[in-house]
Amino acid sequence: MSSFSKRGDIAAFLAMDVMAKAKAKSRAGEAICHMEVGQPGTPAPLKVRQSAKQALDDQILGYTEALGLPALRERIAKHYKQDYGVTIDPEHVVITTGSSAGFVLAFLATLDAGDKVAVPQPGYPCYREILKSLDVEPHFLSLGFENNWQPEIAHIEQAIHKHKIKALLLASPSNPTGVVMEDALIREIAQLTKANNVWFIMDEIYHGLVYDQQEMTLAGFNEATIVLNSFSKYYSMTGWRIGWMVVPPHVVRTIEKLSQNLFISPPCLSQIAAIAAFEAKDELEDIKACYQTNREILQNGLMEVGIKRMAPADGAFYIYADMSDFTDDSLAFSQSLLETHGIAACPGLDFDEANGRFMMRFSYAGPKQEIVEAVKRLKEKPLS
Ligand SMILES: Cc1ncc(COP(=O)(O)O)c(C=O)c1O
């Protein structure tokens, strides 16, 4: 038999595996509380859907420029001015097929096989697995209650000098913890990485979903920073597969060539519709207010059923909870939680191969009734 490639031998995305099982149960008529994936329970904003309908009737919807529709790139640049007071040249904005494709483009543009990249642990599992599939070695920066889930400068310095990383990849707000990094820390890291010729790739996909403070963007900060973002989370457009990057000027042409060859262009209909997402602030802020209510219900509910420690959950729509009183095998725990309580949640092992066996991630992006119901079930049938 022909053999598979070693680079294809990567781990499954456990959240998606749990979702597939939970969806099968829902289809079979079971009332499942879906808290496994980070996906808004709402459709794209009305203005986005109206714009898409119009485009379907009026436009050809062919390939676009590989870097994306100029009108969308300009609108994104305007968003940086309006929301952060940061001037970005539209020429440095690259539209991608979700931030997922953005990662592939950013990694291919900056890294070679055999390079090392520092990533947070816990962190979004696909960082680690995409890197592995490109023969790039992840170097883990360990986060936990002891460092308030924020990366430590000493660890980054060590990664740079001892492990010779070529890039550092961080997210703020973070998945799975929801932690928002301090502005001063982000700036310090950006200066440190630039001074050492290390790329700083920042995942800002959960921007817009920060509840009690203002987030800073790293877009355009210096020529060693690459920012990724997406319409999937705040803009409630997961299935439209549309995101963007802000890259330094000298990287644009490399990314353009990669995008031409790998994807030709991001989806045209989604690009046209995404322009309208920036005019849907009222609707999106209402959705965000629902997340905030859900967060409170879930945090309180989890504490009431005996879960004593959780990461701060400043932003995004997740609670990363310490389940060590109940399990040391979060994968088995997530399976039994689905069977016994009809609650689908994600095992910490997805995000952290070292300590994730004690942790579970609960998403509160779904409808409030499902969060309320999940808490009710946890109270009725105590965790053992
Ligand atoms: C931290 C983080 N980055 C990137 C992604 C990928 O999102 P998309 O490809 O939909 O933009 C996700 C999805 O859950 C995520 O949580």
Side-chain angles (χ1 to χ4, degrees):
M1 213 187 354
S2 312
S3 63
F4 293 107
S5 71
K6 285 195 198 69
R7 65 175 68 192
D9 186 20
I10 57 174
F13 187 1
L14 296 179
M16 300 302 283
D17 278 359
V18 177
M19 182 176 89
K21 270 199 196 134
K23 280 198 167 192
K25 281 185 175 288
S26 293
R27 272 196 307 276
E30 283 185 53
I32 302 297
C33 301
H34 287 279
M35 303 168 84
E36 71 278 33
V37 280
Q39 155 142 282
T42 44
L46 182 61
K47 285 186 175 151
V48 169
R49 284 176 281 141
Q50 281 169 338
S51 166
K53 279 183 192 155
Q54 188 84 45
L56 270 179
D57 286 340
D58 298 351
Q59 302 211 29
I60 290 172
L61 302 175
Y63 295 138
T64 71
E65 293 83 344
L67 292 173
L69 281 177
L72 178 57
R73 296 170 74 196
E74 272 161 33
R75 187 60 192 87
I76 289 171
K78 190 169 155 198
H79 155 71
Y80 281 102
K81 191 78 201 161
Q82 280 177 336
D83 288 26
Y84 302 95
V86 171
T87 305
I88 298 291
D89 185 337
E91 293 295 316
H92 306 156
V93 177
V94 179
I95 311 302
T96 58
T97 305
S99 69
S100 300
F103 286 113
V104 176
L105 291 170
F107 296 163
L108 285 172
T110 57
L111 306 167
D112 282 310
D115 283 344
K116 285 187 189 166
V117 175
V119 293
Q121 181 160 268
Y124 179 56
C126 304
Y127 302 149
R128 181 186 75 212
E129 301 303 327
I130 299 173
L131 288 169
K132 283 199 226 158
S133 76
L134 298 174
D135 275 339
V136 175
E137 193 186 322
H139 167 81
F140 298 111
L141 297 173
S142 183
L143 312 181
F145 288 106
E146 66 287 357
N147 48 21
N148 205 23
W149 307 92
Q150 304 241 3
E152 292 180 59
I153 290 290
H155 291 170
I156 296 172
E157 279 175 336
Q158 205 181 32
I160 292 173
H161 300 301
K162 189 162 165 224
H163 300 282
K164 310 278 179 228
I165 54 164
K166 181 91 181 289
L168 164 70
L169 168 52
L170 295 174
S172 178
S174 142
N175 174 9
T177 62
V179 167
V180 174
M181 286 171 63
E182 287 151 20
D183 292 359
L185 179 61
I186 298 177
R187 286 200 190 91
E188 192 179 347
I189 296 172
Q191 277 146 9
L192 178 68
T193 43
K194 179 169 176 279
N196 287 282
N197 297 322
V198 167
W199 291 101
F200 184 3
I201 303 172
M202 187 59 145
D203 184 354
E204 297 188 350
I205 189 171
Y206 292 102
H207 268 220
L209 297 175
V210 175
Y211 302 104
D212 308 307
Q213 51 190 299
Q214 191 60 46
E215 63 273 45
M216 76 159 263
T217 181
L218 201 64
F221 193 81
N222 63 39
E223 70 264 29
T225 54
I226 294 181
V227 161
L228 286 107
N229 208 324
S230 172
F231 289 93
S232 289
K233 310 295 176 172
Y234 176 70
Y235 300 95
S236 191
M237 294 173 65
T238 48
W240 297 67
R241 308 310 304 128
I242 185 89
W244 75 88
M245 289 195 271
V246 182
V247 304
H250 63 291
V251 191
V252 175
R253 180 65 181 149
T254 304
I255 294 208
E256 182 174 28
K257 288 185 288 175
L258 285 164
S259 180
Q260 289 167 343
N261 283 282
L262 288 168
F263 307 111
I264 301 189
S265 76
C268 181
L269 181 63
S270 301
Q271 291 190 69
I272 294 169
I275 298 171
F278 294 103
E279 317 312 323
K281 217 156 182 133
D282 289 350
E283 190 178 339
L284 294 170
E285 287 297 307
D286 286 347
I287 297 174
K288 179 176 171 181
C290 296
Y291 296 149
Q292 201 160 359
T293 309
N294 287 355
R295 179 178 70 151
E296 207 179 314
I297 295 169
L298 187 59
Q299 273 174 328
N300 292 339
L302 292 178
M303 277 189 292
E304 283 168 38
V305 301
I307 296 167
K308 300 185 203 89
R309 292 206 302 174
M310 300 164 217
D314 310 314
F317 33 48
Y318 306 111
I319 290 183
Y320 197 53
D322 178 0
M323 309 299 288
S324 55
D325 286 344
F326 307 99
T327 188
D328 60 3
D329 181 351
S330 58
L331 185 56
F333 185 87
S334 79
Q335 281 155 359
S336 80
L337 194 64
L338 185 59
E339 295 305 326
T340 55
H341 292 70
I343 297 174
C346 193
L349 265 181
D350 220 10
F351 312 96
D352 183 343
E353 289 170 331
N355 298 315
R357 62 203 171 97
F358 301 112
M359 308 292 292
M360 288 289 293
R361 187 197 74 177
F362 298 88
S363 163
Y364 55 84
K368 180 178 159 192
Q369 316 80 275
E370 265 183 43
I371 314 292
V372 171
E373 176 62 24
V375 169
K376 183 167 153 261
R377 290 182 194 181
L378 287 169
K379 283 184 183 163
E380 281 168 3
K381 200 185 284 184
L383 295 167
S384 50

